[in-house]
Amino acid sequence: MTELRKCKDFKGKVVLVVNTATGCGFTPHYKDFAEMYSKFHEQGFEIVDVPCNQFVGQTPGNDEEIHEFCQLKYHTEFPQRKKADVNGDTAIAFANGMRPFL
């Protein structure tokens, strides 16, 4: 698991920020994300995973458990933030104070 780096660290790269959950119907998309990352990372493609538990509690567990689940089940290698809120007053700040619209 890694902390989200500064936006300047991604300068000149294509970045896909994904809001994920480990216990929902879309969880198998981790496989597709892992394949895209593996295929295009050397060409400047980045994925930043933002796990969130705000949607019907579909991301149970702590940060280490989430990270381990993703690596073991879907072989993810891309950066993963700590679990964060993406809606409301407690939503993580995103570039220049904007909120992610995920």
Side-chain angles (χ1 to χ4, degrees):
M1 177 181 41
T2 59
E3 278 296 318
L4 186 62
R5 296 173 288 189
K6 295 180 180 183
C7 289
K8 70 179 183 176
D9 294 340
F10 296 107
K11 185 175 182 175
K13 297 182 180 193
V14 173
V15 181
L16 174 64
V17 179
V18 293
N19 167 224
T20 59
T22 54
C24 79
F26 293 112
T27 300
H29 282 63
Y30 270 115
K31 180 179 181 249
D32 298 328
F33 294 144
E35 289 173 2
M36 280 192 305
Y37 186 79
S38 177
K39 184 174 182 178
F40 298 111
H41 180 67
E42 292 298 318
Q43 298 164 0
F45 178 67
E46 293 284 348
I47 295 176
V48 177
D49 181 10
V50 183
C52 177
N53 197 39
Q54 285 184 297
F55 306 98
V56 198
Q58 293 180 339
T59 308
N62 63 37
D63 296 319
E64 291 77 25
E65 292 166 335
I66 294 166
H67 185 67
E68 184 176 297
F69 169 84
C70 293
Q71 283 192 317
L72 292 175
K73 185 156 176 99
Y74 297 105
H75 311 289
T76 59
E77 296 179 12
F78 45 84
Q80 185 176 60
R81 268 192 111 271
K82 291 181 178 183
K83 188 166 37 172
D85 289 346
V86 296
N87 285 321
D89 293 338
T90 58
I92 58 170
F94 215 68
N96 297 322
M98 294 172 48
R99 301 284 185 207
F101 39 94
L102 305 170

